Amino acid sequence: MTDMTKGSAPSRRRQRFPEISTRAWEHPADRSGLVALRKLTGFDDVLKKLAGLVSERSVRLMFLATAVKASERQFPELYDMVRDAAYILDLEKVPDLYVSQDPKVNAYCIGMETPVIVVTTGLVELMDEEELRAVIGHEVGHAMSGHAVYRTMLLILTNLAARIAWIPLGNLAVMAMITALKEWFRKAELSSDRAGLLAGQDLQASMRSLMKLAGGASLAEMNVDAFLEQAEEYDKAGDLRDSVLKLLQVLPQSHPFAVVRVAKLKKWAESEEYRSIMAGAYPRRGDDPEATVSSQWKAAAESYSQSVKDSKDPLMGLLRDLGNGVGTVGGKLRDTFTGAGRGNGSSNGASKDGGDSQD
């Protein structure tokens, strides 16, 4: 890692956030878990020992041997970007950045004690300067939040699941934990998208970078506003069967889908929370010990509740009905999955209901 005290900080016109706490950008569901882990005395030491199973030192040596380490002489623009992101988010030790020869578009942060950021040549070739700045800021956010804890836990549990697959109940319990960790990590990705926005301070670039992950390099053929409309179409889903399919599709994923990430990031960029951070009113690291686990879990619960209220997804609508004590929920489920009510009488109602959700 590079010491930011050596040499001058990158000269950028973006706003800097001295002493900013990672709580400022962490999604409530991500933050609640992180605060709980940080309260556990000795937990970091245990995870660092378990991380030895991943051979962090070996991975670092492998990148030194097979990838290109960014510096003033190699990929200097990328080197400046990671220094810039660290400067803006007030991270004293700048993570080393490696460029790996790989046509797949990818970037990731590994390591717990000394995080390392890796970007592939496929990603470097796909993104423009401001998009790369958002991506690198995203990875710096991972490093600052300590999200490598999740990766380590996931890897250990995945290996364990493979070894005890022959024990039905034991494997079921481990798979339940893996599913929960993946949900946690999906929220960690939303957190780091926010960190990338704070580092780059260019919402359009942040959204373009996510759109390119879905559609490739032909930016002239794509449109951010149309992609946001696509996200709204995905949220509406169609009917309850589509909602169930979406749920089944997302459960195995470690990352949220691109349209979801774009919509969530835009919503956060328009929030009072983001405006307060940009105005200098944000949580400081010195106040981190005062963050209680109970308050963070409450914030997480409120976040999920608000997501249900705001969503146009039919399944979320059903959950709202359940919460409001609506007595026709059973009828709705029956009609949806049996096809009852379709074709009874006029077709106008059916085409109207179906048209909005499928166009």
Side-chain angles (χ1 to χ4, degrees):
M1 302 178 86
T2 305
D3 191 339
M4 282 294 290
T5 61
K6 297 179 180 179
S8 59
S11 175
R12 305 299 302 177
R13 301 181 68 177
R14 294 169 180 80
Q15 184 172 335
R16 186 169 182 258
F17 307 102
E19 282 296 308
I20 190 170
S21 167
T22 59
R23 291 181 294 116
W25 64 73
E26 286 163 355
H27 185 281
D30 172 33
R31 186 172 64 235
S32 60
L34 286 171
V35 169
L37 290 180
R38 291 162 187 160
K39 295 288 185 182
L40 294 177
T41 304
F43 181 82
D44 287 347
D45 293 334
V46 172
L47 258 294
K48 286 171 184 176
K49 290 180 180 178
L50 289 174
L53 299 175
V54 191
S55 197
E56 182 176 317
R57 187 181 298 271
S58 175
V59 171
R60 183 180 300 277
L61 287 171
M62 182 59 70
F63 281 117
L64 272 174
T66 62
V68 176
K69 184 179 180 181
S71 66
E72 294 94 337
R73 294 178 296 165
Q74 299 190 122
F75 291 103
E77 292 184 359
L78 293 178
Y79 179 69
D80 284 343
M81 287 180 192
V82 72
R83 284 169 51 83
D84 192 13
Y87 176 70
I88 289 171
L89 298 177
D90 199 19
L91 175 61
E92 182 178 356
K93 297 290 186 179
V94 184
D96 288 336
L97 175 69
Y98 289 89
V99 180
S100 176
Q101 175 61 40
D102 190 340
K104 293 181 180 178
V105 178
N106 201 5
Y108 47 93
C109 178
I110 59 173
M112 298 177 67
E113 293 189 81
T114 51
V116 169
I117 294 173
V118 181
V119 295
T120 64
T121 51
L123 181 128
V124 173
E125 292 167 3
L126 179 66
M127 304 291 178
D128 66 26
E129 178 182 348
E130 293 306 314
E131 293 159 5
L132 278 170
R133 196 179 300 281
V135 171
I136 290 174
H138 173 107
E139 299 306 329
V140 169
H142 275 313
M144 293 180 68
S145 286
H147 286 147
V149 169
Y150 299 160
R151 288 191 186 275
T152 301
M153 293 170 70
L154 272 173
L155 182 57
I156 292 168
L157 287 173
T158 302
N159 290 338
L160 179 61
R163 293 180 182 181
I164 65 171
W166 59 276
I167 307 176
L169 293 179
N171 188 56
L172 185 63
V174 172
M175 293 309 297
M177 289 189 285
I178 290 175
T179 300
L181 276 170
K182 285 184 176 179
E183 165 61 11
W184 200 354
F185 202 82
R186 287 192 293 270
K187 295 301 184 285
E189 288 300 317
L190 298 180
S191 298
S192 292
D193 285 344
R194 298 174 178 184
L197 175 58
L198 290 175
Q201 297 173 28
D202 185 336
L203 177 60
Q204 288 296 315
S206 290
M207 292 194 296
R208 285 199 313 270
S209 69
L210 294 169
M211 185 173 65
K212 282 185 174 182
L213 292 179
S218 302
L219 188 59
E221 300 295 325
M222 296 184 287
N223 180 278
V224 170
D225 290 335
F227 198 62
L228 287 166
E229 292 172 7
Q230 183 179 330
E232 185 174 2
E233 180 182 350
Y234 175 78
D235 186 34
K236 290 179 179 178
D239 60 24
L240 283 173
R241 290 167 298 182
D242 294 310
S243 300
V244 172
L245 287 173
K246 286 199 305 180
L247 183 61
L248 293 175
Q249 288 172 346
V250 78
L251 283 177
Q253 307 297 322
S254 62
H255 288 56
F257 295 129
V259 293
V260 174
R261 293 173 68 178
V262 167
K264 295 288 188 182
L265 184 61
K266 184 174 186 293
K267 183 177 180 179
W268 188 70
E270 295 172 346
S271 69
E272 182 60 35
E273 184 177 25
Y274 178 74
R275 286 192 290 271
S276 295
I277 293 172
M278 295 304 295
Y282 50 79
R284 262 62 175 182
R285 292 170 201 163
D287 299 327
D288 283 349
E290 299 177 8
T292 63
V293 175
S294 59
S295 64
Q296 301 308 315
W297 283 115
K298 181 180 178 181
E302 290 174 350
S303 172
Y304 278 114
S305 176
Q306 191 62 45
S307 294
V308 171
K309 291 179 181 178
D310 294 342
S311 177
K312 299 175 183 177
D313 183 276
L315 181 58
M316 297 300 103
L318 179 64
L319 292 177
R320 287 195 297 271
D321 289 347
L322 287 170
N324 294 329
V326 175
T328 58
V329 171
K332 288 183 179 180
L333 286 171
R334 181 198 62 220
D335 292 348
T336 297
F337 287 98
T338 63
R342 297 180 186 179
N344 294 337
S346 171
S347 62
N348 291 338
S351 62
K352 183 178 179 180
D353 291 342
D356 287 344
S357 61
Q358 295 180 18
D359 287 345

